[in-house]
Amino acid sequence: MEHVPPPAEELALLDRELARLDARRSQLLVRRAWLLSVLTPPAPPFAAPAGPPAPFAPPSGPPAARAGAPGAQNVLLTLGGLLLTVAALAFTLLSWGHLGIAGRSAVLGVVTLAALAAPAVLLRRGLSATAESLGALASVLMVLDAYALHRVAFPEADGLGFAAAASAVLAVVWGGYGLLLGRLRLPLPLAVASAQLPLLLWAWSAGAGATAFGWALLLTAALDCAIAVGGRGAPVRLTACVGCWTTGLLGLLVALTQSMSAGTASGAVAPAALLLAGAAVALSGAWRAPAGLAVAGGALAGLCGVAAVGGVLRAGTAWGWSVPVYLLCGAVLLVTVRAPLPRPVGRGLLWASSAVTAAAVLFSAPPVGMSLMGTVSRAARVWSGAPDGGVRGALGTADVAWSHLAGAPVGLLMAAALLGLAHRWWDRLVRVAGPVFSPGPAWRGAAGAAASALCWAGLTTLPAVLGLSYAAAVSVQSALVAGAFAAAVAGLRRGAHAVGTSALVCGLAGAVSTGFLSLATRTATYAVFTVVLVVLGATAVLLDGALARAVRALPDTRAERAARALRIAQAVPACGAVVCATVLARAAGASLGLDGYRAAPVLLAVPAVTALLGARLRDHPAAPPVELTGAVAAAAAVLVALPDRPFLALVLALSGVLAAGTAVRAERRPMAGYLAVALFVLATWVRLSASGVSAPEAYTLPVTVPALAIGVLRRRRDPEASSWTAYGAGLAATLVPSLFAAWADPHWARPLLLGVAALALTLAGARLRLQALLLLGGAVLGLDAVHELAPYVVQVVGALPRWLPPALAGVLLLVVGATYEQRLRDARRLKETVGRMR
């Protein structure tokens, strides 16, 4: 036999292939062992092997597991440090009696020195975690050493003074130790934390006053600020930053309290100096701080400056005038936007000025609320006469110390003037504030809107603050309402929608408040509501031109939004005019002696006028809101007439006439026509009920029979006509009143006859596929059956165990839930079947 290749060469090939397979197997086994070590916890140190080694396993075996995780090591070191600390505390506090003075000092000194020296050795060997633990123990031992030194060497020394000195020494020692062993992270933050105490404890031990405490806190904050700016390491800077804000804010709070309680300018100088020093510290820290902290520091500096200067200027004046003084100082702060400051710091100063303005507005808000909401109390005393005490008596605030609130309108008007100037000179303001703040166009509208609102609020409070008479207050408030709506018209017509909308809202709020205020006397009621009616109507008319111009420019998206806003702005005063007309109509009825329900027909004059006005306006956007508000007035007339059924029938009939007249217009016919029919029918039955009629069928059947005959003729001429159009009204004319009568009838004859008739109609509707007959007949049949079976159902339910009805309901829900999809398909199929009927 001849070998190809020769046997020697083939043997060499086989050996090489086997060696390659062995190497590959070894690699795979090593990888498998490593994966097992990752997925399973390491075996105990001296555990015996689980079995014999695998064949062809590499002699090196799997890589050894790591000795321990850093997390476990840190936990062990932390627990050890805590135990040593507890032991040291126990030794120091509880075991003094067993050793002499020399022994105690020697023990604590030796242990402290050992704990201080050990971290240096450990750090050189790379045991940083152990060094941290011993460093923390050394820090605690140093505190205990200070305590022991006070108890042994200086027992007569003042505790607070010694604590101040000890905290200062510890801060220096910890700082030097942390700088010497730079790899330890705890000593330097501890030094910063300890530095918070010396000045405060010294002031406390010396019995210093509030000003000295403030300076101690502020100097500590200055030291923290310097460390936070130039300190080494994030933990040190973070600790210093927290300390700076804490001590600084506490010191500034002390200074602010003193400044606000100072009775004279000389007494406010010292707190002002402290506040200005705090402003300097905040400004110096913000100069090199990150953006967010720089803005906060700039804002704090600005607030401190305002509080300092404002506290000196307002000292000795009444509290009511403090708000304008601080507001003026906040306005002056705006000049700093051109100062050579970093941009975040300048933005913080700008926010400080805005915060002062907002605070001034908030402190001036209570008089505005009393002036607006106090008028609501007049609704319970309509036409009771002019109240004593002028407008303050009308508001129910005669006992309020209005002299303390004298500065509120001034503050509001000053804020309004500032915002108004910003709105007026917006482009110049943007150029000036460009390096600090670049507001968008929306901010200009917001400034104008706020200016108009604050101006109106300040003027609204003037009558109460000045203590005007009732007549003068009503005149002033009416003039303010007219002025607000005039400003709204001017703003909306020139495109300043934010300003115009704000003025419109203020005018509406003022109109409501003035309307309530005028209810005290008859003359004021007629005068105010007439003026407001004219003003609102004129506003709606004047806005019509602006609306037309906006509609003509509709291709632009912004013009479309503006047109939508103008439609709303025009509809609101138009509806308000209708409300004023309703109040005047009710007042006219009361003046004519038509009290209560007798005044209801007079109220119907308002929906009559709105119906005529709607016919005149036709497709105008304001027509539907006006007519809808007139319908609300008609509903109010119906509510007024409820106590007397004959008058109620009259009002319903007159309302039906108005609805029928509205239905003449093609665009209102679908809704107004059905409404007119319903009102006429309802008026008829109210009249019959007032006459004591107990058999409605005598009146309904003569209507139903010819109505059904006309429906049959209609269906013959127009087979596509709906069954509701042909038979709905005629059937409802008898079925609905008979159903009401059957529910109130204690006998069985009427419900039986009604049920038979309803069953016949239901079957006829199903047979002839007429939707009106099927649905009306089925509904009446079901309600009639419920009425007849209800007493028996109640008896059966009362006889059943109490647990059975809930159980049956649960079973029903389970069945329905289990067959939900089938029930849904059945309901859909039923809907489609009924929808195909005529």
Side-chain angles (χ1 to χ4, degrees):
M1 179 177 179
E2 186 177 357
H3 291 274
V4 180
E9 185 176 353
E10 183 178 359
L11 180 61
L13 290 174
L14 290 176
D15 290 337
R16 286 195 297 270
E17 187 66 24
L18 288 172
R20 190 161 43 250
L21 290 174
D22 290 339
R24 181 57 180 166
R25 179 179 177 81
S26 298
Q27 292 176 358
L28 294 177
L29 287 174
V30 170
R31 182 65 180 174
R32 179 178 181 275
W34 183 84
L35 291 174
L36 287 175
S37 68
V38 172
L39 295 176
T40 58
F46 299 101
F56 303 103
S60 58
R66 287 175 293 181
Q73 180 185 17
N74 291 335
V75 170
L76 293 176
L77 291 174
T78 303
L79 288 176
L82 287 177
L83 290 175
L84 289 176
T85 302
V86 171
L89 288 172
F91 171 77
T92 304
L93 299 177
L94 303 177
S95 300
W96 278 113
H98 302 288
L99 295 174
I101 296 177
R104 303 171 206 167
S105 302
V107 170
L108 279 178
V110 169
V111 174
T112 303
L113 290 175
L116 287 173
V121 178
L122 294 172
L123 287 175
R124 283 197 298 269
R125 296 187 177 183
L127 302 175
S128 58
T130 307
E132 290 286 351
S133 299
L134 289 179
L137 176 62
S139 302
V140 176
L141 290 175
M142 292 175 71
V143 176
L144 295 177
D145 285 335
Y147 172 74
L149 186 64
H150 176 256
R151 293 290 303 272
V152 175
F154 305 100
E156 303 298 330
D158 178 54
L160 290 174
F162 186 84
S167 60
V169 172
L170 287 176
V172 174
V173 172
W174 280 334
Y177 187 68
L179 292 175
L180 183 63
L181 301 179
R183 292 171 59 185
L184 289 181
R185 291 174 293 179
L186 187 61
L188 288 179
L190 281 178
V192 175
S194 180
Q196 311 302 309
L197 300 177
L199 293 178
L200 185 61
L201 292 177
W202 272 327
W204 193 359
S205 64
T211 304
F213 267 100
W215 279 108
L217 290 168
L218 189 60
L219 290 175
T220 304
L223 176 62
D224 291 332
C225 181
I227 297 173
V229 171
R232 186 176 68 180
V236 176
R237 291 196 297 270
L238 179 61
T239 306
C241 187
V242 173
C244 178
W245 280 98
T246 303
T247 56
L249 289 178
L250 289 176
L252 293 176
L253 182 61
V254 172
L256 181 62
T257 303
Q258 286 189 304
S259 176
M260 296 182 69
S261 60
T264 60
S266 59
V269 171
L274 184 55
L275 288 168
L276 291 176
V281 171
L283 203 59
S284 63
W287 201 280
R288 295 177 57 187
L293 288 176
V295 172
L300 182 62
L303 292 175
C304 289
V306 170
V309 179
V312 174
L313 294 178
R314 68 125 213 112
T317 61
W319 265 109
W321 294 100
S322 298
V323 172
V325 172
Y326 285 112
L327 181 59
L328 182 61
C329 295
V332 173
L333 188 64
L334 292 174
V335 300
T336 58
V337 297
R338 300 299 295 174
L341 296 172
R343 183 169 184 172
V345 177
R347 188 180 296 117
L349 293 173
L350 189 61
W351 280 115
S353 178
S354 303
V356 171
T357 304
V361 171
L362 289 178
F363 279 106
S364 303
V368 181
M370 288 187 289
S371 299
L372 291 177
M373 302 303 297
T375 58
V376 180
S377 61
R378 305 311 308 172
R381 299 186 297 274
V382 178
W383 292 358
S384 58
D388 297 332
V391 65
R392 295 177 181 176
L395 297 175
T397 58
D399 299 331
V400 176
W402 285 96
S403 59
H404 294 166
L405 304 174
V410 178
L412 291 172
L413 293 175
M414 286 176 59
L418 292 174
L419 292 172
L421 291 175
H423 177 75
R424 177 67 178 81
W425 295 328
W426 187 256
D427 296 334
R428 185 181 303 176
L429 178 65
V430 170
R431 287 196 301 271
V432 171
V436 176
F437 188 58
S438 300
W443 286 86
R444 180 176 188 178
S452 60
L454 292 176
C455 180
W456 169 81
L459 295 176
T460 299
T461 59
L462 280 178
V465 171
L466 297 177
L468 299 181
S469 64
Y470 174 75
V474 171
S475 301
V476 171
Q477 298 289 11
S478 301
L480 286 178
V481 171
F485 280 108
V489 171
L492 291 173
R493 294 187 71 175
R494 70 169 184 265
H497 295 290
V499 178
T501 303
S502 176
L504 183 65
V505 173
C506 293
L508 291 173
V512 173
S513 177
T514 308
F516 278 113
L517 183 64
S518 68
L519 296 178
T521 63
R522 182 177 310 196
T523 304
T525 301
Y526 281 111
V528 168
F529 278 96
T530 302
V531 170
V532 175
L533 172 62
V534 173
V535 169
L536 291 173
T539 301
V541 172
L542 292 174
L543 288 177
D544 195 47
L547 180 61
R549 288 195 301 271
V551 170
R552 284 196 297 268
L554 273 183
D556 190 358
T557 306
R558 288 176 298 178
E560 185 177 356
R561 290 198 299 266
R564 190 182 304 114
L566 283 173
R567 290 191 187 98
I568 297 174
Q570 187 181 33
V572 169
C575 296
V578 177
V579 174
C580 291
T582 304
V583 175
L584 288 174
R586 182 65 183 88
S591 299
L592 295 175
L594 303 176
D595 295 330
Y597 62 87
R598 297 181 182 275
V602 181
L603 292 176
L604 292 177
V606 176
V609 174
T610 57
L612 295 175
L613 188 59
R616 174 70 177 82
L617 295 175
R618 290 192 176 276
D619 296 331
H620 196 281
V626 168
E627 293 183 78
L628 184 60
T629 310
V632 173
V638 172
L639 292 177
V640 170
L642 281 178
D644 189 83
R645 283 184 290 179
F647 258 87
L648 179 59
L650 175 62
V651 172
L652 289 172
L654 293 175
S655 301
V657 171
L658 294 176
T662 305
V664 173
R665 297 159 53 194
E667 67 274 11
R668 299 286 185 264
R669 188 169 301 150
M671 182 180 295
Y674 289 116
L675 181 61
V677 172
L679 289 172
F680 282 134
V681 173
L682 188 58
T684 302
W685 287 112
V686 170
R687 180 68 258 183
L688 293 177
S689 175
S691 302
V693 172
S694 59
E697 292 80 7
Y699 298 90
T700 59
L701 287 175
V703 176
T704 297
V705 173
L708 293 178
I710 294 173
V712 171
L713 294 176
R714 170 70 183 275
R715 290 275 295 176
R716 285 182 179 178
R717 291 186 177 182
D718 183 12
E720 298 298 325
S722 171
S723 60
W724 290 101
T725 305
Y727 309 119
L731 292 174
T734 295
L735 291 177
V736 175
S738 296
L739 180 62
F740 280 102
W743 271 65
D745 195 342
H747 304 291
W748 58 272
R750 186 192 302 275
L752 177 61
L753 294 174
L754 179 61
V756 171
L759 177 60
L761 287 174
T762 304
L763 296 175
R767 176 68 180 82
L768 301 175
R769 303 182 62 80
L770 296 176
Q771 191 180 101
L773 275 65
L774 178 64
L775 295 183
L776 278 175
V780 173
L781 180 62
L783 292 174
D784 187 64
V786 168
H787 174 263
E788 292 303 307
L789 295 177
Y792 304 104
V793 173
V794 171
Q795 292 178 4
V796 171
V797 172
L800 292 175
R802 293 186 178 273
W803 57 268
L804 189 56
L808 293 176
V811 171
L812 178 61
L813 290 177
L814 288 176
V815 172
V816 173
T819 60
Y820 175 74
E821 294 296 334
Q822 181 62 35
R823 302 286 78 78
L824 195 61
R825 285 193 294 268
D826 294 343
R828 220 178 266 121
R829 193 179 300 113
L830 178 61
K831 178 184 176 182
E832 293 173 357
T833 302
V834 174
R836 285 194 295 267
M837 294 182 178
R838 299 302 301 171

